[in-house]
Amino acid sequence: GQQLNQSPQSMFIQEGEDVSMNCTSSSIFNTWLWYKQDPGEGPVLLIALYKAGELTSNGRLTAQFGITRKDSFLNISASIPSDVGIYFCAGQSVGGSQGNLIFGKGTKLSVKP
Amino acid sequence: ETGVTQSPTHLIKTRGQQVTLRCSSQSGHNTVSWYQQALGQGPQFIFQYYREEENGRGNFPPRFSGLQFPNYSSELNVNALELDDSALYLCASSSPADGNTIYFGEGSWLTVV
């Protein structure tokens, strides 16, 4: 099935460092979403973006909806051990049904205390 | 916790058997979508239900079918199970009244042997 290009695939960082990950698509999206998934659980919504150029923060997390509508990034500032997990970007394409999200393959984040 | 509940949490089936997975949507959410997440991959959209009818489908064969009930709860049925059907099956719900934000349940782990 169609997937987004999400990078990096994995990151190993020191506690306190900033993190950046991004997603790109060959097609335009109406909505970009960022989820975090812990082992054995479902994805939890972190940030939702609905407009090109939109920059939204949620605590230490900041995400942007790219101007071209084909990309998005997520930044985490001052990482802490509980940030460990897999981060997924997801997009809703133009003309797609409301619940039809296209997901990236995920970025696995490991934080060393 | 999102309010989307799924059952069972884990199950093991034999190749060729049939399985039914259940989902209760978040209160007031009238749209339910189902996703398949293989190990190490992002979720893949299976289909979506709104007002008890399927109104969007991903690239999955007809042996994947579903139902939505008047109380918005939903079932995913998979016939003639194959080994590759082993995955985490996620249910998600949304509603225009809630900004169409998509919330996921914790999933049902299916192992086909």
Side-chain angles (χ1 to χ4, degrees):
Chain A
Q2 183 181 359
Q3 286 195 322
L4 303 173
N5 295 315
Q6 185 172 350
S7 63
Q9 285 188 339
S10 61
M11 304 182 75
F12 295 86
I13 62 167
Q14 199 75 34
E15 182 177 359
E17 288 183 354
D18 296 344
V19 171
S20 185
M21 59 192 79
N22 69 81
C23 271
T24 60
S25 168
S26 56
S27 54
I28 290 171
F29 284 121
N30 282 333
T31 303
W32 281 96
L33 304 165
W34 286 91
Y35 288 88
K36 179 176 183 252
Q37 188 173 29
D38 292 327
E41 297 185 11
V44 174
L45 182 66
L46 300 174
I47 292 182
L49 302 159
Y50 299 106
K51 204 164 120 181
E54 181 181 351
L55 182 72
T56 297
S57 292
N58 178 9
R60 293 179 296 106
L61 278 59
T62 301
Q64 185 159 32
F65 191 144
I67 290 288
T68 65
R69 296 169 65 190
K70 291 183 179 182
D71 63 306
S72 177
F73 71 75
L74 173 71
N75 289 339
I76 305 173
S77 62
S79 58
I80 59 178
S82 63
D83 290 334
V84 164
I86 302 178
Y87 292 79
F88 288 98
C89 62
Q92 186 178 55
S93 59
V94 175
S97 53
Q98 177 197 315
N100 182 357
L101 296 179
I102 299 164
F103 278 81
K105 289 192 175 183
T107 295
K108 185 174 180 181
L109 179 63
S110 301
V111 179
K112 286 187 282 188
Chain B
E1 202 170 294
T2 63
V4 180
T5 58
Q6 294 187 240
S7 63
T9 53
H10 295 81
L11 70 166
I12 300 173
K13 289 285 189 177
T14 303
R15 192 170 49 180
Q17 285 188 316
Q18 179 264 343
V19 69
T20 297
L21 307 177
R22 295 179 176 82
C23 172
S24 292
S25 62
Q26 186 166 318
S27 177
H29 281 194
N30 55 12
T31 302
V32 173
S33 47
W34 286 91
Y35 288 77
Q36 180 195 67
Q37 186 177 20
L39 210 57
Q41 302 292 316
Q44 298 277 336
F45 175 71
I46 302 174
F47 44 53
Q48 173 181 290
Y49 276 82
Y50 173 68
R51 290 187 175 179
E52 302 176 52
E53 290 194 3
E54 183 184 298
N55 76 338
R57 190 176 183 95
N59 189 25
F60 281 81
R63 60 190 185 84
F64 285 79
S65 63
L67 285 172
Q68 187 180 30
F69 301 99
N71 66 354
Y72 307 139
S73 66
S74 177
E75 287 182 355
L76 165 66
N77 298 292
V78 187
N79 293 324
L81 284 166
E82 301 175 0
L83 297 179
D84 284 349
D85 295 333
S86 295
L88 177 66
Y89 287 85
L90 295 162
C91 172
S93 73
S94 60
S95 169
D98 196 9
N100 287 326
T101 304
I102 295 168
Y103 296 96
F104 284 85
E106 298 203 345
S108 294
W109 282 99
L110 171 66
T111 302
V112 182
V113 296

